[in-house]
Amino acid sequence: MRPSARIPSILAGLALALGGTVIAAPAAHADVKACEQYVAQHAPKATDGAAEACYQGSIGNQTSCDASLVAVGASKDAASAACEASR
């Protein structure tokens, strides 16, 4: 392979490798702690079940998160907002 053809190939490979790293990185803007803090502030009687419910929300199971928080005493609005914070 000629050197002039090698450089674009190397750059394309590098771009693909870096792009894959960015795609594989998890989102860092919200988490289980944010959800638990929201529950503590807006639905204090639901804090006992918040950890598991917020975990369910963080893995994408919003229905289970909402239902679990409502079952332990959070309002539907507070549960929905807290589960949104876990994503």
Side-chain angles (χ1 to χ4, degrees):
M1 186 179 272
R2 295 185 329 237
S4 60
R6 219 177 285 160
I7 292 173
S9 299
I10 290 170
L11 291 176
L14 183 59
L16 287 173
L18 292 176
T21 302
V22 171
I23 291 170
H29 57 84
D31 58 12
V32 174
K33 284 290 181 197
C35 174
E36 290 177 356
Q37 289 173 349
Y38 190 92
V39 171
Q41 292 173 354
H42 296 91
K45 61 185 175 183
T47 56
D48 288 341
E52 179 60 31
C54 291
Y55 171 74
Q56 289 297 320
S58 72
I59 61 171
N61 193 348
Q62 298 298 306
T63 303
S64 178
C65 179
D66 287 341
S68 296
L69 287 175
V70 169
V72 294
S75 70
K76 288 184 181 183
D77 290 336
S80 179
C83 293
E84 233 1 86
S86 70
R87 292 207 274 165

